[in-house]
Amino acid sequence: MTKINLIFNENRNIQKEQSRLERMGLKDELAIVSDEHLLASAKPDQVYYDSQRKCGCFWSGVLDNEDELRSLWIQYRPQSTGNSAKMLAQLYEILSEKLFEKLDGCFVIVFVQGHQLHIVRDPMGVKTLYYTRKPDGEWLFSDQIKGLFAEGSRTPVVNRAALLELFALGPSHTEGQTFYKNIAELPMGYALLIRDRKESLHEYFELNVHRHNEDLAATAAHVRQMVSDSLNRQCAASDVHAAFLSGGLDSSILCALAAKRGPLTTYSLDYEGNAQYFKGYAYQTTRDNEYIDAMIERYAFDHHPLVIAQRECAELLEPAMIGRDGPGMADVDSSLLWMYGKVREQNGSVLTGECSDELFGGYPWFYRSDLVSLKSFPWLQSLPQRVKLLRAPMNELDYEGAMRSAYWATVQRAPKDPFDSEQDQRAKLMTYLTVHWFMQTLVQRQEAMAALTGLTVRAPFCDAKLYQYLYNVPWSMKFYKGEEKGLLRLAFEDVLPAKVAHRKKNPYPKTYHPEYTQRVKDRLQALINDPECRLCELLEPAGLQELIDTDGGSFAKPWFGQLMMGPQLLAYFIQLELWLRRYQIRIEF
């Protein structure tokens, strides 16, 4: 897992300040990229700098089409040799911003030309980059927010704008913003240019809207080819021989395709004692076991069922929070961190079925009439209950206005076809909203937990070409036969057992064990009983106590998405308290 950390100053020599960068990154990955103005941390094979011409490149991530880019490089510069950073730097000199459209993979790339920086983030936002500008004009960049604080010149501050993000939208956040004052995020599909002490953002990846002219059969065949191509590119680029297998549609498709490439090791997640305590409900109707067994029977994967103990799931809440640099998705984050760690013991990279639901319309808000008609984020339906938990003066901010503003700003940006039916207009809008909000929250979770373990996680459904293609496919095809992701089922039903091909979507598994509930109750109780409790600065202690006394049941709706309720909500507040304490957050109200 490569890291990227950067100090950039147009005004003075900072070469003697290497210790500042060492605090941001890893010592064995340090590389000086510029002799005067730039100091950076990256792996040596992803760094290039020409000190005579004062230009170069360093980057983090994976290029899935490096061979194509090298062929292009040689066309322009015959006899060229060198690492990928040199190739990118010289292609940028030739093509400038036109190069960005030719890049495929998950990456953050920094191009250096004298006193100018040009930084590009991959189209789907898999890799992250955060930055801040100090009063003296110096810029700090890092792929993790903690890197900006580790340098020593920034203090974590949550101001009114950040409070609105945290309690109106969290754990999602507005693209380009964070939960911290004066710390920005480079949005997915954007490039940041810094020149003459000024910054400018440019969206280089934009969806094209056009008529979809293929019939259902051709569309299904096209989908099959695109998903297969994406998987093959990512497996080759990251040397993937392992995959997560939940028995759901998405992971099962990827495992079936990957099996054609050679032996495949698969992993599934369950929680200790869940078989005894599982309770099906509208979103999570069945356990995974029988569907996993059906896939193993058909493909003979080398399968490893991973079972996390309730104690471990609770204890990893804090490390997971640190990975995200803020409160996240509670036991989903902590169990994912644990699972990634177990997989990393035997594998450097792994496939995941993430990001299929966003593109193919798998979430309930794509097809349930009560959710489709909402003019707000359907995964954030708990705002009135959130505000009731806040104490004065925190509850006086206009959280509803903040959510409404964020929603309509995204609606205005979503590409539209005026000739679409009302149904297709709504499907396009929901796809755009989900990709830019819900999916980004999940992808950032994935990258944060992967960074902690050193595991490379590849998601073939998270593909810009596939996103572009599916955006214009009519909803009637995506919802073929009235099934969520009906088009995807049609495209791959011949490679799956029938029960798997038509299994109703289930979200990421959560724990139902009363031991977990008791553990998070006890820990949250201890935290709010502490005289130094930071959470009680924001929330009404009586409301928190009622949550504990009712096992989280006093909060009727999920805090976020489909799963964050009951003990998961208690775990979220543990993460919130630990974040405020560990990061020594200063609140400016």
Side-chain angles (χ1 to χ4, degrees), residues 104 136 175 191 252 262 282 306 308 350 358 364 433 435 468 493 507 518 530 578-579 586:
D104 182 21
D136 65 1
E175 281 189 287
S252 297
L306 303 174
I308 183 171
V350 68
E358 290 83 351
L433 284 167
V435 166
Q468 171 62 78
E493 61 183 352
Q518 192 61 51
D530 187 332
L578 296 174
W579 174 59
R586 189 173 80 240

mmCIF file of all heavy atoms in Angstrom, residues 104 136 175 191 252 262 282 306 308 350 358 364 433 435 468 493 507 518 530 578-579 586:
data_model
loop_
_atom_site.group_PDB
_atom_site.id
_atom_site.type_symbol
_atom_site.label_atom_id
_atom_site.label_comp_id
_atom_site.label_asym_id
_atom_site.label_seq_id
_atom_site.Cartn_x
_atom_site.Cartn_y
_atom_site.Cartn_z
ATOM 1 N N ASP A 104 -6.361 4.962 -16.425
ATOM 2 C CA ASP A 104 -7.327 3.973 -15.952
ATOM 3 C C ASP A 104 -6.765 3.309 -14.699
ATOM 4 O O ASP A 104 -5.632 2.831 -14.700
ATOM 5 C CB ASP A 104 -7.580 2.926 -17.046
ATOM 6 C CG ASP A 104 -8.628 1.897 -16.631
ATOM 7 O OD1 ASP A 104 -9.429 2.189 -15.731
ATOM 8 O OD2 ASP A 104 -8.638 0.789 -17.215
ATOM 9 N N ASP A 136 1.168 31.020 5.868
ATOM 10 C CA ASP A 136 2.398 31.475 5.215
ATOM 11 C C ASP A 136 2.470 31.080 3.744
ATOM 12 O O ASP A 136 3.481 31.306 3.075
ATOM 13 C CB ASP A 136 3.630 30.959 5.964
ATOM 14 C CG ASP A 136 3.746 29.434 5.904
ATOM 15 O OD1 ASP A 136 2.892 28.777 5.282
ATOM 16 O OD2 ASP A 136 4.716 28.900 6.491
ATOM 17 N N GLU A 175 -18.657 16.475 -1.194
ATOM 18 C CA GLU A 175 -17.425 16.316 -1.958
ATOM 19 C C GLU A 175 -16.572 17.572 -1.867
ATOM 20 O O GLU A 175 -17.061 18.680 -2.004
ATOM 21 C CB GLU A 175 -17.740 16.022 -3.425
ATOM 22 C CG GLU A 175 -18.129 14.585 -3.688
ATOM 23 C CD GLU A 175 -18.212 14.311 -5.171
ATOM 24 O OE1 GLU A 175 -19.166 14.783 -5.800
ATOM 25 O OE2 GLU A 175 -17.307 13.631 -5.704
ATOM 26 N N ALA A 191 -9.047 17.447 -11.007
ATOM 27 C CA ALA A 191 -7.637 17.794 -10.961
ATOM 28 C C ALA A 191 -7.501 19.148 -10.269
ATOM 29 O O ALA A 191 -8.348 20.035 -10.441
ATOM 30 C CB ALA A 191 -7.052 17.852 -12.360
ATOM 31 N N SER A 252 -20.272 -13.125 -6.060
ATOM 32 C CA SER A 252 -20.325 -14.428 -6.741
ATOM 33 C C SER A 252 -19.967 -14.305 -8.213
ATOM 34 O O SER A 252 -19.263 -15.164 -8.773
ATOM 35 C CB SER A 252 -21.721 -15.045 -6.579
ATOM 36 O OG SER A 252 -22.014 -15.292 -5.224
ATOM 37 N N GLY A 262 -7.603 -18.895 -13.006
ATOM 38 C CA GLY A 262 -6.762 -19.822 -12.260
ATOM 39 C C GLY A 262 -7.309 -20.049 -10.866
ATOM 40 O O GLY A 262 -8.383 -19.563 -10.520
ATOM 41 N N ALA A 282 -36.397 -6.548 6.726
ATOM 42 C CA ALA A 282 -36.652 -6.130 5.347
ATOM 43 C C ALA A 282 -35.388 -6.026 4.511
ATOM 44 O O ALA A 282 -35.379 -6.379 3.335
ATOM 45 C CB ALA A 282 -37.387 -4.786 5.344
ATOM 46 N N LEU A 306 -14.210 -16.689 7.719
ATOM 47 C CA LEU A 306 -13.606 -15.918 8.807
ATOM 48 C C LEU A 306 -14.695 -15.523 9.793
ATOM 49 O O LEU A 306 -15.725 -14.967 9.392
ATOM 50 C CB LEU A 306 -12.918 -14.667 8.258
ATOM 51 C CG LEU A 306 -11.839 -14.913 7.197
ATOM 52 C CD1 LEU A 306 -11.334 -13.592 6.637
ATOM 53 C CD2 LEU A 306 -10.686 -15.719 7.778
ATOM 54 N N ILE A 308 -15.386 -13.424 13.249
ATOM 55 C CA ILE A 308 -14.850 -12.450 14.189
ATOM 56 C C ILE A 308 -15.560 -12.566 15.531
ATOM 57 O O ILE A 308 -16.796 -12.701 15.584
ATOM 58 C CB ILE A 308 -14.955 -11.009 13.633
ATOM 59 C CG1 ILE A 308 -14.324 -9.997 14.604
ATOM 60 C CG2 ILE A 308 -16.389 -10.633 13.327
ATOM 61 C CD1 ILE A 308 -14.209 -8.596 14.031
ATOM 62 N N VAL A 350 -6.932 -8.352 -3.103
ATOM 63 C CA VAL A 350 -8.171 -9.117 -3.040
ATOM 64 C C VAL A 350 -9.250 -8.404 -3.839
ATOM 65 O O VAL A 350 -9.233 -7.171 -3.969
ATOM 66 C CB VAL A 350 -8.613 -9.308 -1.567
ATOM 67 C CG1 VAL A 350 -9.045 -7.987 -0.941
ATOM 68 C CG2 VAL A 350 -9.702 -10.356 -1.430
ATOM 69 N N GLU A 358 -24.530 0.703 -6.713
ATOM 70 C CA GLU A 358 -24.633 2.097 -7.121
ATOM 71 C C GLU A 358 -24.873 2.227 -8.620
ATOM 72 O O GLU A 358 -25.619 3.102 -9.067
ATOM 73 C CB GLU A 358 -23.349 2.837 -6.737
ATOM 74 C CG GLU A 358 -23.168 3.045 -5.246
ATOM 75 C CD GLU A 358 -22.581 1.842 -4.512
ATOM 76 O OE1 GLU A 358 -22.467 0.755 -5.134
ATOM 77 O OE2 GLU A 358 -22.232 1.975 -3.330
ATOM 78 N N PRO A 364 -32.569 -0.126 -2.103
ATOM 79 C CA PRO A 364 -34.037 0.032 -2.077
ATOM 80 C C PRO A 364 -34.511 1.375 -2.611
ATOM 81 O O PRO A 364 -35.620 1.464 -3.160
ATOM 82 C CB PRO A 364 -34.378 -0.124 -0.589
ATOM 83 C CG PRO A 364 -33.263 -0.914 -0.009
ATOM 84 C CD PRO A 364 -32.034 -0.516 -0.777
ATOM 85 N N LEU A 433 -26.511 10.686 -7.472
ATOM 86 C CA LEU A 433 -26.498 10.957 -6.034
ATOM 87 C C LEU A 433 -25.780 9.839 -5.266
ATOM 88 O O LEU A 433 -24.958 10.086 -4.380
ATOM 89 C CB LEU A 433 -27.926 11.087 -5.500
ATOM 90 C CG LEU A 433 -28.692 12.377 -5.794
ATOM 91 C CD1 LEU A 433 -30.163 12.177 -5.466
ATOM 92 C CD2 LEU A 433 -28.126 13.544 -4.991
ATOM 93 N N VAL A 435 -23.630 7.510 -6.337
ATOM 94 C CA VAL A 435 -22.202 7.403 -6.638
ATOM 95 C C VAL A 435 -21.411 8.498 -5.928
ATOM 96 O O VAL A 435 -20.348 8.249 -5.350
ATOM 97 C CB VAL A 435 -21.959 7.465 -8.161
ATOM 98 C CG1 VAL A 435 -20.483 7.695 -8.480
ATOM 99 C CG2 VAL A 435 -22.432 6.175 -8.825
ATOM 100 N N GLN A 468 -20.055 5.130 -16.963
ATOM 101 C CA GLN A 468 -20.513 5.920 -18.108
ATOM 102 C C GLN A 468 -21.545 5.156 -18.940
ATOM 103 O O GLN A 468 -22.585 5.710 -19.322
ATOM 104 C CB GLN A 468 -19.316 6.301 -18.983
ATOM 105 C CG GLN A 468 -19.672 6.943 -20.314
ATOM 106 C CD GLN A 468 -20.406 8.248 -20.155
ATOM 107 O OE1 GLN A 468 -19.819 9.274 -19.866
ATOM 108 N NE2 GLN A 468 -21.742 8.236 -20.340
ATOM 109 N N GLU A 493 -26.420 -14.925 -15.258
ATOM 110 C CA GLU A 493 -27.131 -16.009 -14.582
ATOM 111 C C GLU A 493 -26.642 -17.396 -14.997
ATOM 112 O O GLU A 493 -26.767 -18.351 -14.229
ATOM 113 C CB GLU A 493 -28.642 -15.894 -14.797
ATOM 114 C CG GLU A 493 -29.105 -15.977 -16.225
ATOM 115 C CD GLU A 493 -30.621 -15.776 -16.330
ATOM 116 O OE1 GLU A 493 -31.281 -15.732 -15.280
ATOM 117 O OE2 GLU A 493 -31.114 -15.656 -17.458
ATOM 118 N N PRO A 507 -27.333 -6.486 2.557
ATOM 119 C CA PRO A 507 -26.203 -5.591 2.799
ATOM 120 C C PRO A 507 -25.073 -6.299 3.519
ATOM 121 O O PRO A 507 -25.180 -7.486 3.877
ATOM 122 C CB PRO A 507 -26.816 -4.486 3.670
ATOM 123 C CG PRO A 507 -27.968 -5.144 4.362
ATOM 124 C CD PRO A 507 -28.498 -6.163 3.395
ATOM 125 N N GLN A 518 -24.031 -5.646 24.715
ATOM 126 C CA GLN A 518 -23.624 -5.360 26.090
ATOM 127 C C GLN A 518 -22.255 -4.688 26.121
ATOM 128 O O GLN A 518 -22.026 -3.766 26.927
ATOM 129 C CB GLN A 518 -23.600 -6.657 26.903
ATOM 130 C CG GLN A 518 -23.468 -6.428 28.407
ATOM 131 C CD GLN A 518 -24.641 -5.623 28.956
ATOM 132 O OE1 GLN A 518 -25.808 -5.957 28.711
ATOM 133 N NE2 GLN A 518 -24.334 -4.564 29.682
ATOM 134 N N ASP A 530 -17.539 9.545 32.450
ATOM 135 C CA ASP A 530 -16.254 10.201 32.681
ATOM 136 C C ASP A 530 -16.462 11.717 32.710
ATOM 137 O O ASP A 530 -17.076 12.278 31.795
ATOM 138 C CB ASP A 530 -15.301 9.828 31.550
ATOM 139 C CG ASP A 530 -13.882 10.306 31.778
ATOM 140 O OD1 ASP A 530 -13.690 11.322 32.475
ATOM 141 O OD2 ASP A 530 -12.958 9.672 31.241
ATOM 142 N N LEU A 578 -14.379 8.855 20.982
ATOM 143 C CA LEU A 578 -12.954 8.559 20.880
ATOM 144 C C LEU A 578 -12.265 9.490 19.890
ATOM 145 O O LEU A 578 -11.091 9.857 20.081
ATOM 146 C CB LEU A 578 -12.757 7.096 20.473
ATOM 147 C CG LEU A 578 -13.248 6.060 21.491
ATOM 148 C CD1 LEU A 578 -13.136 4.654 20.919
ATOM 149 C CD2 LEU A 578 -12.465 6.165 22.801
ATOM 150 N N TRP A 579 -12.955 9.862 18.851
ATOM 151 C CA TRP A 579 -12.416 10.823 17.876
ATOM 152 C C TRP A 579 -12.182 12.182 18.537
ATOM 153 O O TRP A 579 -11.102 12.770 18.395
ATOM 154 C CB TRP A 579 -13.385 10.945 16.709
ATOM 155 C CG TRP A 579 -13.036 11.999 15.704
ATOM 156 C CD1 TRP A 579 -11.883 12.096 14.973
ATOM 157 C CD2 TRP A 579 -13.864 13.093 15.291
ATOM 158 N NE1 TRP A 579 -11.935 13.179 14.128
ATOM 159 C CE2 TRP A 579 -13.140 13.807 14.303
ATOM 160 C CE3 TRP A 579 -15.140 13.529 15.635
ATOM 161 C CZ2 TRP A 579 -13.664 14.941 13.681
ATOM 162 C CZ3 TRP A 579 -15.668 14.652 15.010
ATOM 163 C CH2 TRP A 579 -14.939 15.351 14.046
ATOM 164 N N ARG A 586 -10.848 20.638 18.725
ATOM 165 C CA ARG A 586 -11.322 21.908 19.276
ATOM 166 C C ARG A 586 -12.587 22.315 18.523
ATOM 167 O O ARG A 586 -12.612 22.324 17.284
ATOM 168 C CB ARG A 586 -10.264 23.000 19.128
ATOM 169 C CG ARG A 586 -10.643 24.279 19.880
ATOM 170 C CD ARG A 586 -9.547 25.320 19.891
ATOM 171 N NE ARG A 586 -9.496 26.075 18.658
ATOM 172 C CZ ARG A 586 -8.448 26.125 17.848
ATOM 173 N NH1 ARG A 586 -7.372 25.407 18.117
ATOM 174 N NH2 ARG A 586 -8.478 26.853 16.746
#
